[in-house]
Amino acid sequence: MPAAPTYRFGSFELRAGSRTLLRDGEPLAIVPRQAAILALLVSKAGLIVAKDEVMAAGWQGEVVGENSVDKAISELRRQLGERPEGGPYVETVRRRGFRFTAAVSRTEATGYATSLAPHLLGVEGRAAIETLSATKVAGARATFEDAVRCAPQHAPAHVGLATACAMQFEATRADPEPDYATLGRALRHALLACHLDPGYAEASATLAFVLSRAGHHLDAFIATHVEAIGEPFGGLTKTTAGAVAAARQATLLETGNWRHEVRLAAAAWGEEALGAIRRAVSRVTTFPLAHVLAARVHIARQTFAEAERELSAGIAADEAQRAAGAPFGGVGVHWLYGLLRLSAGDRAAAEAAFARELASEGDGHIYAREMAAHTWHATGALRLHAGDAAGAVEAFQAAIGRVPSHPLAHAGLVIARRRSGNNVSPLELPDAARGGPADLALARAALLVEAGQPAEGAALVAEAVAPPEAPSAGWILPVEPLLDVMRAPDVWRVALARLRGRAM
């Protein structure tokens, strides 16, 4: 059975069956009435179409005045803009009607194949995303782009594309220039999915994920992309609050979905995050990342026994996943476990955990490079504690080789070189060190501690973890090996108390 035709003109594509208008492959917000009128005009391109005929197409028997038709045509002109060669796409022919002025091509498609394609592509794309493999996520993005082209009004296709784009951004977030354009594309498609189907829980959960990835420094960037959607989402420019609100909405729309709970745990903090994780792991027992998320909260609270229990469960889940060849790898779990053991003075266990983390660097996980950088930084700090300044230099350089902007690794390298006698320059962060306010404060504090000014370093960190819009900022402080704050808790009392209070 033939489906309604697709019309192409300029950079536009109009799918008459779904009444969807795209420009350069991106769906535009167009109401069904205007889409019906446009379909009529492009089907008779070059011919004069009477107002009565336009009225019949747009209002289907409803009695309206000529002024309504004129307003609809005016809105179409606004949507389409001018042709590349100049002039409007829709021309008014005085007292006779309207004429579509651009060249139009028409294609037909098989209705069943067209309707089935986005569902098949969605299954394929989701399976690729759940591997968390950088290569497979890139393939998933292409798959979901095909799904969106097949069905621009299909909210799940936009959800898949948003997720794939957000995952691709995650793989670049440690780069000197993260791929913000891809994050913006993720935001656009997440918002479109929410607009197309407000009751679709996965759309809200995906929006929460994208907003939580954005971070504190992207408010203006997000505002630009929200405005482009043409919907009243301005309040979401406060990314932390917007992410939590969207995740809560997803859990209300679809209770019992563990994925939504994990998105809430990633966006929220404190007890709300822990509650979401408990609900998630009650439904899926082999998801290591959930335990990492829980351990972060316990570390901020300085309840280290609970953090270690979570990470032990995460390590068991990771081993089960690897044995089964299942998705959702446990990158980061051994690194964090090693930090806990190092903080407790168990260097041998810490070193073994760091080696296990580095052994999985080649697995292709989207976070593998970032976690390897953190692990090499931790290894450098461990070597400093052992008096091996030369070995520490090598480890910090390995961290910077993976993440050139890593602020704590840069601080460690300055300290290690100074202790090895190869560098007597001031204890200052180089320009290459970049990061969020809390990360930079931790790195500068490490240099102040090395300079014999721990109180100044502690005050700097206490100020950095104070802003309420970033409740999880600085969560790593209690186990950051370059600072070793738990050996001088009185010096760090204010910063530790603030972290603990925010994590409750």
Side-chain angles (χ1 to χ4, degrees), residues 191-203:
L191 287 170
L192 275 169
C194 291
H195 174 63
L196 289 168
D197 191 349
Y200 182 33
E202 190 70 28

Side-chain angles (χ1 to χ4, degrees), residues 2 9 17 47 69 81 115 131 165 189 334 356 384 397 404 481 492 499:
F9 52 93
L47 302 176
V69 176
S115 63
T131 65
C165 288
H189 286 280
H334 295 289
R356 289 186 70 182
L384 275 180
Q397 287 175 329
W492 297 90
L499 279 180

Side-chain angles (χ1 to χ4, degrees), residues 129 144 156-168 182-183 185-191 193 206-207 209-210:
I129 285 174
F144 282 115
H158 290 282
V159 161
L161 183 52
T163 304
C165 288
M167 290 291 193
Q168 280 195 306
T182 293
L183 182 62
R185 187 170 173 81
L187 177 64
R188 176 178 176 80
H189 286 280
L191 287 170
T206 301
L207 179 59
F209 176 62
V210 174

Side-chain angles (χ1 to χ4, degrees), residues 287-438:
F287 187 44
L289 179 59
H291 299 287
V292 172
L293 291 172
R296 293 167 70 237
V297 177
H298 286 301
I299 287 170
R301 288 180 172 182
Q302 295 120 64
T303 50
F304 301 121
E306 288 84 349
E308 190 159 338
R309 277 196 290 271
E310 287 288 352
L311 291 170
S312 295
I315 289 169
D318 180 49
E319 291 172 350
Q321 289 284 68
R322 292 179 184 279
F328 308 123
V331 66
V333 65
H334 295 289
W335 160 68
L336 202 49
Y337 180 79
L339 289 183
L340 280 173
R341 297 315 308 148
L342 184 57
S343 179
D346 188 351
R347 292 181 183 174
E351 194 164 12
F354 295 153
R356 289 186 70 182
E357 185 71 45
L358 291 172
S360 63
E361 183 180 3
D363 290 353
H365 196 288
I366 61 170
Y367 296 114
R369 177 170 60 98
E370 188 175 348
M371 288 300 111
H374 292 335
T375 305
W376 275 116
H377 159 69
T379 301
L382 185 153
R383 291 175 181 175
L384 275 180
H385 290 316
D388 181 10
V393 167
E394 292 179 0
F396 289 128
Q397 287 175 329
I400 293 167
R402 287 158 176 81
V403 177
S405 61
H406 200 295
L408 278 160
H410 277 288
L413 184 59
V414 170
I415 293 168
R417 282 175 170 168
R418 192 177 182 88
R419 291 189 187 179
S420 67
N422 295 330
N423 192 311
V424 292
S425 60
L427 288 165
E428 296 177 357
L429 276 182
D431 292 339
R434 301 177 189 173

Side-chain angles (χ1 to χ4, degrees), residues 138-228:
R141 175 175 176 174
T143 296
F144 282 115
E145 283 173 342
D146 288 343
V148 167
R149 280 192 289 271
C150 286
Q153 302 294 94
H154 187 54
H158 290 282
V159 161
L161 183 52
T163 304
C165 288
M167 290 291 193
Q168 280 195 306
F169 167 78
E170 287 290 87
T172 73
R173 68 177 184 172
D175 291 347
E177 298 295 335
D179 190 357
Y180 293 145
T182 293
L183 182 62
R185 187 170 173 81
L187 177 64
R188 176 178 176 80
H189 286 280
L191 287 170
L192 275 169
C194 291
H195 174 63
L196 289 168
D197 191 349
Y200 182 33
E202 190 70 28
S204 293
T206 301
L207 179 59
F209 176 62
V210 174
L211 288 172
S212 68
R213 299 304 86 198
H216 65 278
H217 59 295
L218 291 181
D219 282 356
F221 174 79
I222 288 174
T224 299
H225 286 274
V226 169
E227 189 175 319

